[in-house]
Amino acid sequence: MTIFIRTVAGGLGAAVALVASAGPAVASTVSATTGGATAVVGQLVLEPTARGYQGTLPITVTNHSAQPVSHLLITEPVAGSWRGTLSNEFCMVVVPKQYVRTFDCMVSLGAGQSRTYTARFEVLTHTRPYAMSARGGQVAVQVGHDAPVTTSATFRTLFRSTDGSRQGRRPYRQDRTTEAAIATGEARLVQQADGTFAGWLPVTARYDSDAANHFLDVAATLPAGVDIVDMDPPDMPVFSTGFLVPGGAFTEGEERIFRVLLTAPAGTAPGLLGTGTFAVSTYYEGGAAPEGDPSDNTVTFPIRVGA
């Protein structure tokens, strides 16, 4: 499928016209109009990989106006799937939502110029032995900084099967709730050369959903004097109140094993110091996403000092 969009600036706003072709037929073009821009959008084809599906969407914009084309607006077809553009245009969320997002990419296309922008997408779900399809992705262009965009064109998204087939497509339905889980071992802190106590605590985090996520966030509750000071493998900073699971966004069914370094001050009495608690939540677009089964989101572990 190929989609042609024409935007016209001026007057009371921007008008957008589109013509879409079904299947392999060649789409009729929309004639250029002075004072507007034309965008040609292809089909997004997502290929199965070792980590979900990945693909790119070419968008060719031609400016027929005297004003520069300044904005390319792209709505992701699947929540959390946007991965920027190949040429790294500056893009920011213009409609923050908990699920599907729209990005405003700053572009500069002078009068008479044409350029192809390539948007990247990744869907972190199990690959399937059958093809799938999704609707909802949209593209719009804006001529000048002040002309409003009144509508946009929707593009189709195709997921190839694990054997490369495009036939027998089924609708792709993304999970709407997250399924995060956390587990730990026992924390054993041994005395260091300076008299303080330290020990690595193994942690396992798992994600059994394909709901959109940016990372897993762990809140920590520890006995007085006990701190979290390091992480292996190193990633974001850690604090006594918690940390982010290293590695960023999770794909469906992914499990990560890492460890955090706990310390206690010199003079701490040997034996069972107390218990710690880790509570994991899924972060996406400004806050915690809804959890489907919170029963395995919290783990309590003993903290022992000395050999």
Side-chain angles (χ1 to χ4, degrees), residues 182 203 205 214-220 228 230-239 241-250 256 258-260 278-284:
I182 191 167
V203 184
H214 292 319
F215 51 78
L216 299 189
D217 185 22
V218 179
I228 304 172
D230 203 358
M231 175 186 292
D232 179 33
D235 200 325
M236 301 294 287
V238 297
F239 305 93
T241 55
F243 53 88
L244 305 183
V245 174
F250 275 70
R256 297 179 192 167
F258 59 101
R259 57 182 187 164
V260 293
F278 288 164
V280 66
S281 59
T282 304
Y283 183 94
Y284 180 69

Side-chain angles (χ1 to χ4, degrees), residues 43 114 156 217 219 282:
Q43 183 181 67
S114 180
R156 183 186 297 274
D217 185 22
T282 304

Side-chain angles (χ1 to χ4, degrees), residues 111-136:
Q113 291 185 329
S114 180
R115 183 178 176 186
T116 297
Y117 302 92
T118 304
R120 299 181 296 124
F121 297 92
E122 180 181 52
V123 180
L124 299 177
T125 186
H126 283 312
T127 56
R128 273 74 155 185
Y130 50 84
M132 297 184 293
S133 63
R135 292 183 177 272

Side-chain angles (χ1 to χ4, degrees), residues 1 6 35 100 111 132 134 152 164 174 194 201 206 211 251 283 293 298:
M1 170 186 280
R6 183 182 64 208
V100 173
M132 297 184 293
S152 56
Q174 187 178 31
D194 62 358
L201 173 67
R206 185 174 176 84
T251 190
Y283 183 94
D293 177 14
T298 303

